[in-house]
């Protein structure tokens, strides 16, 4: 059997409706407790952060290294990587490029993400959003980047 990559999945959905003070009061204490558990039992937490989250980076900087993967839906991952060295970043490939770009543009951007974000580890390649509708993705582009990522030697 294959082990799960992440032990604990946590959506950070309502934080897009909260200011920093509310996030600090209502989310952060429980997130810190969860992180303490992850460290104690050597678990990995997958956080899905909906919306744009740069206002919360100071809190994410407190999360334990080696125990958190943060899926940032609308953030600039190149900027996030500079500030969040302690956590693994997930995402970054624009679904809009999958839909409207050509194969070479998609491959070039996938290469840029991997080259710039995986320096020293701490990056999981993924789309920036879910592919939900047929027009969200050109299947040939998706196939091209999957083949590229599977065969790319860093």
């Amino acid at each position: 059997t294959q082990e799960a990559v992440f032990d604990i999945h946590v959506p950070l959905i309502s934080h897009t409706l909260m200011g920093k003070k509310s996030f600090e009061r209502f989310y952060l204490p429980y997130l810190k407790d969860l992180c303490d558990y992850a460290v104690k039992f050597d678990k990995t937490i997958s956080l899905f952060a909906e919306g744009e989250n740069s206002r919360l980076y100071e809190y994410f900087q407190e999360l334990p290294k080696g125990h958190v993967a943060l899926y940032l839906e609308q953030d600039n991952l190149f900027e996030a990587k500079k500030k969040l060295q302690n956590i693994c970043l997930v995402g970054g490939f624009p679904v809009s490029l999958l839909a409207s770009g050509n194969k070479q543009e998609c491959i070039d951007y996938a290469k840029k993400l991997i080259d710039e974000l995986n320096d020293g580890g701490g990056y999981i390649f993924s789309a920036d959003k879910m592919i939900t509708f047929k027009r969200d993705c050109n299947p040939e582009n998706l196939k091209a980047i999957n083949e590229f990522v599977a065969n790319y030697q860093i």
Side-chain angles (χ1 to χ4, degrees), residues 36-53:
D36 289 344
Y37 173 88
V39 169
K40 182 177 179 180
F41 294 101
D42 196 28
K43 301 294 181 186
T44 306
I45 301 168
S46 168
L47 295 173
F48 174 74
E50 188 176 66
E52 201 281 331
N53 296 274

Side-chain angles (χ1 to χ4, degrees), residues 73-109:
E73 184 186 43
Q74 294 180 4
D75 293 64
N76 177 327
L77 263 62
F78 302 106
E79 291 301 314
K81 180 73 172 183
K82 293 174 189 173
K83 297 180 180 172
L84 301 173
Q85 294 290 312
N86 58 312
I87 55 181
C88 177
L89 297 178
V90 181
F93 192 91
V95 169
S96 60
L97 184 58
L98 276 176
S100 62
N102 64 47
K103 282 189 218 180
Q104 193 57 52
E105 289 171 326
C106 291
I107 290 168
D108 291 345
Y109 199 77

